[in-house]
Amino acid sequence: MTTAIRTARYLTFIALAVTVNLLVFTLHSASWFPASRQDFVRAGLVFDCFITIPLCYWLLLVRPGLRGKTSLVLIGALSVIRGAYLLPSRAGVLLGIAAEAGLIIYIVTKVKRIEDLFPSKTLARIARAEIDVYRYAFGSGKPATLAANARAFTIHEASGAASLFWLMACLTPIEAGVIHFILPTKLAWILTGLSIYGAVWMIAVARSFNALPIVVESEVITLRRGMLASMYIPRDAIASISRKPDTSIKYARFAVLADPAVYIDFKTPLTVELPMGFTRQVRGASVASDDAPGFFNAISGT
C-alpha cells in the first residue's frame, strides 16, 4: 500500500469523525428543529457514534493492517462515551461510566504496549507522558533496582530543585482560591482545574528527580532530568568527556538550578526525549551531578 493511499485512508476517517461530531453539536437539541423529529435525529446521531465511526475505523484502518485491532477498542469506547451524551441524562451517565470502566479494565489486563492502543504514535506518546505525571505524583517514587555494576547519581539535592517544585505546588491552590474573588465563576472554576493539574504536574516533577536518577553502567549511560528529559548514551558513541564545553556544540542540559560541571560530546547526534513525547537530536550533553567528581570518574573510567 502506497503512502498516498495510507494518508487518504487516515484523512477519510478523520474527516468522517469530525463530520459526525459537528452534526452532534449542530443538530442535537437544536431549537429550530421540530420537536417531533428530535428523537429521530438523536437516534441517528447515537447510531453514528456507536456504530458508524468504529465500523469505518475498522474498514479503513484496521482491516487493511494500518492499525492494530487493539486500537479499535479505544475508538469504540470513545465513540460510546460521545454517544452517551445524547441519551437521557441518567442512562447517558451510566453508559459513559460503564464504557470508561470497561476501557480501563481492558487497558490494565490486556494492553502490553500503550502504542498498540492509540491510532497514532503521537497520541501514544502524549498518553504515556500523562500517565507518567500521575505515576510519579502518586506512585511510590522509589528508584528502580540497579544492576550490580551500575551507579546512580542525582542532580537535585544540592540545588534544592525538588523543594522548589514542592513549594510551587503548594502555592498554586492558594492562587486558585484567590481567582474566585476576581473572575466570573465559570472562568474561575476552569482556571482552578488547570491550577490543580499544574500542582499535580509540579509534584510529579519534584518526585521524579529521586525516582529517575542518572545511571552509569559499563555499556551505557542513562542521563535524566527527572521526568523532564532523558537520553541513552552508548559508551562507544562518546567522542570526548571534559569539564569545559565545546562552544561549537549545543548541549542537552541535564542540570536543575545548577551550572553543568561535566560535558559529554558525541561522535554522531543522539536523541534526547522530552515531555509529551517530543524528541530532538543533540551532539552533546552537559550534566550537573550532586557528586560531580564521582560522576566524571564513573563515565571516564578513572
Side-chain angles (χ1 to χ4, degrees), residues 18-68:
V18 171
T19 300
V20 170
N21 277 277
L22 288 175
L23 288 173
V24 170
F25 279 119
T26 56
L27 297 181
H28 177 52
S29 300
S31 58
W32 48 267
F33 218 83
S36 59
R37 294 279 186 172
Q38 286 185 4
D39 290 340
F40 177 79
V41 172
R42 184 181 294 111
L45 295 175
V46 170
F47 180 86
D48 285 338
C49 291
F50 285 8
I51 305 298
T52 303
I53 291 179
L55 179 61
C56 290
Y57 182 81
W58 181 77
L59 290 173
L60 290 169
L61 301 178
V62 176
R63 188 178 180 183
L66 297 179
R67 297 302 308 165

Side-chain angles (χ1 to χ4, degrees), residues 133-145:
V133 170
Y134 296 102
R135 178 154 61 96
Y136 294 124
F138 304 111
S140 64
K142 295 181 180 179
T145 303

Side-chain angles (χ1 to χ4, degrees), residues 67-87:
R67 297 302 308 165
K69 295 180 180 179
T70 305
S71 64
L72 180 60
V73 177
L74 175 66
I75 297 299
L78 293 177
S79 298
V80 170
I81 294 171
R82 184 68 185 93
Y85 285 103
L86 302 172
L87 300 175

Side-chain angles (χ1 to χ4, degrees), residues 70-71 73-74 103 106-107 111 113-119:
T70 305
S71 64
V73 177
L74 175 66
L103 179 61
Y106 184 84
I107 293 173
V111 177
R113 298 191 321 127
I114 196 169
E115 289 79 5
D116 297 333
L117 184 65
F118 286 85

Side-chain angles (χ1 to χ4, degrees), residues 163-178 195 198-199 202-203:
S163 299
L164 177 62
F165 277 96
W166 273 107
L167 177 62
M168 291 190 296
C170 293
L171 292 177
T172 299
I174 298 175
E175 295 176 353
V178 173
S195 297
M202 284 183 280
I203 291 172

Side-chain angles (χ1 to χ4, degrees), residues 5-16:
I5 294 177
R6 289 197 297 266
T7 302
R9 287 179 175 273
Y10 275 104
L11 292 177
T12 300
F13 173 73
I14 292 172
L16 173 69

